[in-house]
Amino acid sequence: MKKILTGWPGWLLLFAAVASLLIISYQRSSKPLTADQRTQSIAERIACPVCDGESVAESRAPAARDIRADIAKYVNDGQLSDEQIITKIDDASVQDLRLTPNGSGIDLLVWFLPAVAFAGAVAGLTMAFLKWRRPIPDHGPTDDDREVVAAAMRNGDGETNDGFSDGR
Amino acid sequence: MLLATLNAQLGTSALIIGLTASIFGVCAQVIGVRRHDPKTIAQGTRFAFFVFGAAVMAFAVMERALITRDFSLSYVQKVGARTTPALYNVTAIWTSLEGSILLWLVILGGYTAAVAYRFRTRRTDPLVGWAMAVLYIISAFFFVLTLFPANPFKLAGSIKDGVGPNPLLQNHILVLFHPPMLYLGYVGMSVPFAFAIAALITGRVGEGWLMETRRWTLFAWGFLTIGILLGGWWSYEVLGWGGVWGWDPVENASFLPWLTGTAYIHSVMVQERRGMLRVWNLSLLVATFSLTILGTFLTRSGVLASVHSFSESGIGPYLLAFFGLVVFASLALIAWRGDRLRSPGSMDSPISREGAFLANNVIFGLFAFIILLGTVYPLLVEAIQNRKIVVGSPYFDQLGKPIGIALLFMMAIAPALPWRKASSEVLSKRLFWPAWGGVVAMAVALFVGADGITPIIAYGLAGFAAAAAIRQLVLASRRQGIRGFLGRANGGMIVHLGVILVAVGLVSSNSYSRQQTFDIKANSTVTFSGHTFTYTGIEKFDQAQRFGTKALISVDGHIYAPATTTYKSVGQTVPTPSVKTGLTEDIYLVLEDPKPASAADPIRLTVAIKPMIAWLWIGGLTMAFGTVLAAFPGKRRRRGTEPASAPIVERIPASPAEPAKPANPVPLEPVGADV
């Protein structure tokens, strides 16, 4: 019974449970954000113009407070999307206030290079595995092998493949 | 000269002694090792204690200057003040650049002396000799920094009082612990780096040097971990925005060596066990050490703006040159020893423990690359287009989330994977119940109200990884009793549990925090997120160095007092949040402007509910505990065995009369071998 449970029926049940829980969480998360939550989420994407690397959401500076108030106003008006609000505030400032670089021009590189690095990492990993892979002899342990292992187990020095010698 | 104070003279003398001892140490070690002269090597080792003593003396003199308010020193003028309380007067030494380099020197001197003492019976071993030489070179560089561009003992025109440390650095006791812990981690990475370079120089690039530095690396990593978490805690308690991590350049600078160091701690096991990844491990150590230098350059030279960067100076070119030298010399040595670095082992299957470690290393490396890119990208854009941009939290969050998820997944499956090759039957058996642990975690999260696909996946993987770690601990303790918690594999599982707690804390606080700002009239009550907040009055305070206003807020019947504090010397006002800490959530109160003039005035109060923040600190403690357990040897010890790369070198005779013994391996100490 235990073998059946931990075999493919058990895994099938597990995947079904995971899928059901993910569907429930998706349904719950499709609720729209409240105005405060939306204001906070936009404020987290805009840099405080007078601070050292803080977002408008984090900073206590008066300039950040003013921008937070502007965001709240735009959100309450309900006319603009998040991206439009960020663009409006960014355009009104002489500085670049976006905490996420644009996906254009030289700023594109900050997105492109991680993608290249990821592709390189996957390719490198695959090549490493292919290079190192070697066929494992098909024959089982010899009597000599069994003797060596038994002696080691008797001496308390034995270890299995994952570091335990409990015979798992 | 007559005007020079005793502190300036003593401090400068100590720095000159330290620099001289470092240079003599390098010369003695190099000459001694090359000439096989044990007497010169013994002399060279002794210089370590001079280096440490000189650094301690310089540090003590600066503390004395701060405590006695010797305003003839420019550094005391910068960070000292007569009104600064005693505790913050002591910690003022590391609140700005020059003093923090002194702290670096003391810790580096301590590590150098500790290495000299630990390897005192093997000081004639060329590996130890070259490692000491590398440590002396690093010490000499930092003594040069303190003597020239960052000299804390420079004299300045006499003044009667200074401004004291930055207000944010005299507002919480964590300033006593966070910088020293962080530096113990940063500087501790010098030891494995020194042995790595020594291994390259001597050509003993096998596994011997790894064994020597295993615990040094582990403790440095542990200190770095604790230092980073204490930094997050300090940020949470002091800055007033209620977060622990903002992807600020200074935070990133500490996180980068942690990432490469963590990758190394995992991949080193592959080399010890299978003799593979030699170049990779050396590169990771070089990267870890050089990232500590690069991070110091980025955050202390003023090239990047940061809320944590409390100083700017002219040390940038020095640090950049040293960084370049470290990288160039290391890469040149690796290229030189390329023929000896070929791995004797090979990988049988990607579905194996070593395959998982390799994949985890690639993920850590990718994460480090992304953080480094995002941190230095504004500099590149400014250099090319003369345009200022900011790369902030949303960028790092967006790219960091999938990486965090991937790391949790690796943490879940790797402990169940055997070395060499895993069969599907073994995997199915070992992963089945841990995977159900993940399902239970997802169900519990949904039951208590969690939503969102990413957090639920993260909780599921956290439950999976926790169950996998617990499974390994249970099996180990069944077999070995209490010793089943010791050793790198089992202690490492406790570290994993700590990481999982930190991950759960971060996911919960980032995903489900709620915040609102209220204008509250006197004796009025507002409710938010199931809690009542009653404004009961104000309390003004006026101390020697600061004054301010506390608002007395009754939170569910208990009084809390968020305040705003103005530091008189600089006129800067900082928030002093008040936090009600609990296991399930923190209630974070910040008193906003305008400050109430009297108890009758309304106040503006920001209330934030931060779920499960406390688990970050509990997770950090668990990680520290696991690191200590991992440092103990496990049950099995490879008595009488030596690593594959046991040094086969000429042993230097103990005295000139004794002939050299070629091809006689230097005996190694027993190695605690765990999984």
Side-chain angles (χ1 to χ4, degrees):
Chain A
M1 180 62 190
K2 193 182 169 190
K3 205 166 182 183
I4 294 171
L5 190 69
T6 58
W8 68 265
W11 282 101
L12 205 62
L13 187 66
L14 184 139
F15 286 123
V18 169
S20 315
L21 294 168
L22 286 177
I23 290 168
I24 296 170
S25 73
Y26 176 75
Q27 281 172 341
R28 275 197 197 172
S29 58
S30 51
K31 282 183 295 187
L33 296 178
T34 64
D36 279 338
Q37 286 170 332
R38 205 177 146 210
T39 304
Q40 177 72 12
S41 121
I42 296 170
E44 283 168 3
R45 294 164 61 188
I46 298 174
C48 161
V50 295
C51 312
D52 287 334
E54 287 177 286
S55 74
V56 162
E58 296 159 6
S59 171
R60 324 310 303 173
R65 204 168 48 222
D66 293 346
I67 293 176
R68 279 202 301 269
D70 287 345
I71 298 169
K73 186 175 144 298
Y74 293 132
V75 167
N76 289 329
D77 287 350
Q79 301 293 313
L80 303 174
S81 68
D82 291 4
E83 195 50 42
Q84 284 170 324
I85 294 173
I86 292 169
T87 306
K88 207 169 170 71
I89 289 169
D90 186 36
D91 289 348
S93 168
V94 285
Q95 292 167 253
D96 197 340
L97 296 184
R98 285 172 181 274
L99 282 170
T100 313
N102 273 325
S104 61
I106 192 172
D107 292 356
L108 189 65
L109 273 183
V110 82
W111 298 105
F112 181 65
L113 290 178
V116 170
F118 175 72
V122 171
L125 208 53
T126 311
M127 279 171 63
F129 284 138
L130 288 175
K131 183 185 155 201
W132 277 322
R133 201 160 180 186
R134 64 178 184 194
I136 295 180
D138 206 17
H139 53 76
T142 63
D143 289 344
D144 286 347
D145 292 337
R146 291 181 196 285
E147 219 166 274
V148 168
V149 171
M153 298 288 279
R154 278 197 302 274
N155 294 336
D157 256 0
E159 62 180 273
T160 60
N161 223 359
D162 68 343
F164 298 102
S165 51
D166 57 0
R168 285 169 307 114
Chain B
M1 196 64 188
L2 286 172
L3 291 172
T5 65
L6 182 66
N7 288 329
Q9 289 186 27
L10 277 176
T12 309
S13 305
L15 294 177
I16 292 170
I17 291 170
L19 177 61
T20 312
S22 304
I23 293 169
F24 277 27
V26 178
C27 297
Q29 291 295 149
V30 173
I31 292 168
V33 170
R34 288 191 70 83
R35 290 185 181 169
H36 294 194
D37 177 0
K39 211 170 169 185
T40 312
I41 293 175
Q43 287 292 343
T45 312
R46 279 187 205 117
F47 284 115
F49 302 101
F50 281 99
V51 168
F52 182 44
V56 168
M57 186 176 161
F59 191 86
V61 169
M62 181 48 72
E63 280 293 6
R64 179 182 181 273
L66 283 163
I67 291 165
T68 58
R69 271 86 173 179
D70 179 0
F71 289 109
S72 66
L73 299 181
S74 61
Y75 191 67
V76 180
Q77 288 188 9
K78 188 155 63 165
V79 301
R82 295 191 185 282
T83 52
T84 305
L87 171 70
Y88 298 115
N89 207 27
V90 170
T91 59
I93 193 167
W94 52 70
T95 57
S96 196
L97 173 84
E98 294 86 345
S100 64
I101 300 288
L102 270 185
L103 176 65
W104 190 301
L105 262 179
V106 170
I107 293 172
L108 182 58
Y111 274 119
T112 308
V115 170
Y117 180 75
R118 174 72 182 81
F119 293 96
R120 64 194 179 284
T121 56
R122 291 184 44 201
R123 61 190 174 201
T124 52
D125 181 347
L127 185 79
V128 177
W130 280 108
M132 286 299 300
V134 173
L135 286 170
Y136 285 134
I137 290 171
I138 301 170
S139 300
F141 169 72
F142 279 94
F143 276 114
V144 166
L145 279 190
T146 51
L147 272 168
F148 299 105
N151 188 343
F153 295 105
K154 261 193 293 196
L155 290 167
S158 185
I159 59 167
K160 288 190 174 164
D161 202 356
V163 293
N166 183 304
L168 293 170
L169 299 176
Q170 47 176 319
N171 209 20
H172 201 282
I173 195 170
L174 279 173
V175 76
L176 181 65
F177 304 105
H178 162 55
M181 282 288 172
L182 200 62
Y183 276 28
L184 278 166
Y186 256 17
V187 182
M189 291 298 177
S190 308
V191 177
F193 169 76
F195 274 88
I197 296 296
L200 284 166
I201 293 172
T202 56
R204 284 159 48 185
V205 291
E207 285 63 58
W209 67 275
L210 297 177
M211 307 292 189
E212 311 294 359
T213 56
R214 178 193 281 171
R215 282 191 195 132
W216 297 87
T217 314
L218 202 59
F219 278 116
W221 180 87
F223 282 126
L224 190 55
T225 306
I226 300 300
I228 290 171
L229 281 165
L230 286 178
W233 197 357
W234 170 83
S235 169
Y236 179 67
E237 295 284 344
V238 166
L239 292 182
W241 62 280
V244 295
W245 192 262
W247 296 108
D248 175 276
V250 171
E251 294 167 353
N252 294 351
S254 64
F255 194 41
L256 282 168
W258 186 89
L259 285 172
T260 50
T262 309
Y264 171 76
I265 282 174
H266 287 89
S267 65
V268 77
M269 287 189 260
V270 180
Q271 186 176 343
E272 285 174 18
R273 184 86 179 208
R274 305 291 314 274
M276 300 166 68
L277 306 181
R278 287 177 172 176
V279 176
W280 178 251
N281 283 325
L282 283 164
S283 307
L284 279 177
L285 268 184
V286 170
T288 303
F289 177 72
S290 48
L291 282 170
T292 64
I293 304 295
L294 183 69
T296 311
F297 162 72
L298 289 174
T299 55
R300 293 298 187 186
S301 63
V303 295
L304 286 174
S306 158
V307 71
H308 302 280
S309 181
F310 298 103
S311 59
E312 290 181 11
S313 76
I315 67 165
Y318 288 79
L319 285 166
L320 204 55
F322 189 60
F323 169 76
L325 178 72
V326 166
V327 173
F328 176 76
S330 307
L331 293 181
L333 281 170
I334 290 173
W336 179 46
R337 290 299 188 190
D339 58 329
R340 295 191 186 199
L341 288 169
R342 286 198 192 96
S343 298
S346 68
M347 196 166 286
D348 301 308
S349 163
I351 314 296
S352 59
R353 182 76 64 93
E354 54 268 47
F357 282 154
L358 192 57
N360 119 327
N361 264 242
V362 169
I363 299 170
F364 275 118
L366 186 66
F367 203 2
F369 172 76
I370 289 169
I371 293 171
L372 184 62
L373 179 71
T375 307
V376 300
Y377 204 72
L379 289 178
L380 297 176
V381 171
E382 195 173 354
I384 296 167
Q385 295 189 334
N386 196 25
R387 177 169 64 91
K388 278 190 185 292
I389 66 160
V390 191
V391 180
S393 305
Y395 170 80
F396 295 106
D397 285 342
Q398 211 167 325
L399 294 182
K401 271 179 196 166
I403 291 179
I405 294 280
L407 286 173
L408 276 175
F409 178 70
M410 295 308 301
M411 226 168 20
I413 61 162
L417 288 169
W419 291 95
R420 302 189 82 96
K421 189 175 182 180
S423 69
S424 55
E425 193 190 346
V426 166
L427 270 187
S428 172
K429 190 178 162 192
R430 293 182 182 177
L431 290 176
F432 186 75
W433 292 114
W436 272 103
V439 174
V440 170
M442 288 170 84
V444 170
L446 283 170
F447 180 73
V448 297
D451 59 12
I453 294 283
T454 312
I456 294 296
I457 290 174
Y459 289 133
L461 288 173
F464 187 1
I470 291 167
R471 173 186 173 274
Q472 168 131 347
L473 286 170
V474 168
L475 290 171
S477 57
R478 259 193 215 161
R479 178 179 166 241
Q480 301 174 14
I482 195 73
R483 291 191 71 90
F485 293 96
L486 302 180
R488 195 165 32 172
N490 302 325
M493 286 304 107
I494 293 174
V495 176
H496 275 198
L497 288 174
V499 174
I500 291 160
L501 292 180
V502 170
V504 167
L506 280 176
V507 169
S508 306
S509 60
N510 285 346
S511 305
Y512 307 115
S513 286
R514 307 172 294 281
Q515 175 178 322
Q516 198 162 329
T517 300
F518 299 95
D519 288 320
I520 316 179
K521 289 180 187 160
N523 297 315
S524 298
T525 298
V526 294
T527 43
F528 178 60
S529 209
H531 300 279
T532 58
F533 302 87
T534 307
Y535 167 38
T536 60
I538 60 167
E539 201 175 282
K540 297 209 171 198
F541 59 93
D542 192 353
Q543 297 159 349
Q545 88 282 21
R546 60 186 188 169
F547 65 89
T549 306
K550 286 179 185 172
L552 304 176
I553 310 291
S554 169
V555 181
D556 302 330
H558 300 279
I559 295 290
Y560 288 83
T564 55
T565 308
T566 303
Y567 283 79
K568 293 174 183 174
S569 57
V570 285
Q572 187 182 338
T573 300
V574 295
T576 310
S578 184
V579 187
K580 181 185 179 188
T581 300
L583 281 179
T584 53
E585 64 180 23
D586 278 14
I587 300 174
Y588 193 88
L589 306 173
V590 183
L591 181 62
E592 305 280 2
D593 283 338
K595 289 184 290 259
S598 72
D601 291 339
I603 57 161
R604 180 165 290 171
L605 182 76
T606 295
V607 179
I609 308 295
K610 300 271 171 190
M612 301 188 80
I613 283 273
W615 291 97
L616 290 176
W617 326 132
I618 296 170
L621 270 178
T622 311
M623 287 172 79
F625 181 58
T627 306
V628 173
L629 293 181
F632 282 97
K635 186 181 178 185
R636 283 165 288 107
R637 297 170 72 93
R638 288 177 188 157
R639 287 178 297 274
T641 65
E642 289 175 350
S645 69
I648 302 172
V649 290
E650 285 189 10
R651 187 169 162 224
I652 299 166
S655 69
E658 186 187 332
K661 296 178 182 172
N664 187 16
V666 175
L668 288 180
E669 294 168 15
V671 174
D674 32 19
V675 189

